[in-house]
Amino acid sequence: QVQLVESGGGLVQAGDSLRLSCTTSGRIHNFYAMGWFRQAPGKDREFVAGTLWGGGTTSYADFVEGRFTISRESARNTVHLSMKSLRPQDTAVYYCAAKRVKDTRWSDWGQGTQVTVSA
């Protein structure tokens, strides 16, 4: 079982930057994938960015458009999502998730952290 705790959300203005963190604990290893998702009010949860805990491949949703970066800080068992040039439409609850690479379903989720971007 993997435990995930997000932090770093808040209220910012359009154009600002923010860094979200996801601290992990439990049996996570190099064959895990880590992801960030978000859910805006009235909308479905959507994929934002993903990476492998062991390093290497990263992937991003089209709407990121180079504004977000997912990174790992292995020494602190933490995955970050650095966001810049934030837009009001980025307002959502952001969730960290984990799964074994071989699985199709994301099995472990954090509680979420709110990001609000004002115009």
Side-chain angles (χ1 to χ4, degrees), residues 50-72:
T51 189
L52 298 179
W53 183 257
T57 303
T58 58
S59 60
Y60 297 93
D62 290 342
F63 62 77
V64 169
E65 298 178 336
R67 300 177 299 127
F68 299 175
T69 303
I70 188 170
S71 60
R72 301 172 305 115

Side-chain angles (χ1 to χ4, degrees), residues 1-6 22-35 53 77-79 96-101 103 105-111:
Q1 191 71 20
V2 175
Q3 293 79 44
L4 307 171
V5 178
E6 301 97 334
C22 172
T23 302
T24 70
S25 60
R27 301 188 64 179
I28 195 164
H29 51 70
N30 287 347
F31 295 102
Y32 262 78
M34 303 297 300
W53 183 257
N77 293 328
T78 299
V79 175
C96 179
K99 69 177 181 78
R100 291 179 296 180
V101 172
D103 294 339
R105 189 178 70 88
W106 294 85
S107 55
D108 302 285
W109 293 86
Q111 82 288 352

Side-chain angles (χ1 to χ4, degrees), residues 35-94:
W36 283 96
F37 292 76
R38 71 184 189 183
Q39 187 168 20
K43 295 188 177 181
D44 293 333
R45 189 174 299 186
E46 61 182 352
F47 173 79
V48 177
T51 189
L52 298 179
W53 183 257
T57 303
T58 58
S59 60
Y60 297 93
D62 290 342
F63 62 77
V64 169
E65 298 178 336
R67 300 177 299 127
F68 299 175
T69 303
I70 188 170
S71 60
R72 301 172 305 115
E73 190 176 359
S74 300
R76 296 188 177 185
N77 293 328
T78 299
V79 175
H80 300 290
L81 182 69
S82 299
M83 305 183 292
K84 63 180 181 180
S85 302
L86 283 164
R87 305 164 180 168
Q89 54 264 46
D90 294 318
T91 295
V93 177
Y94 284 71

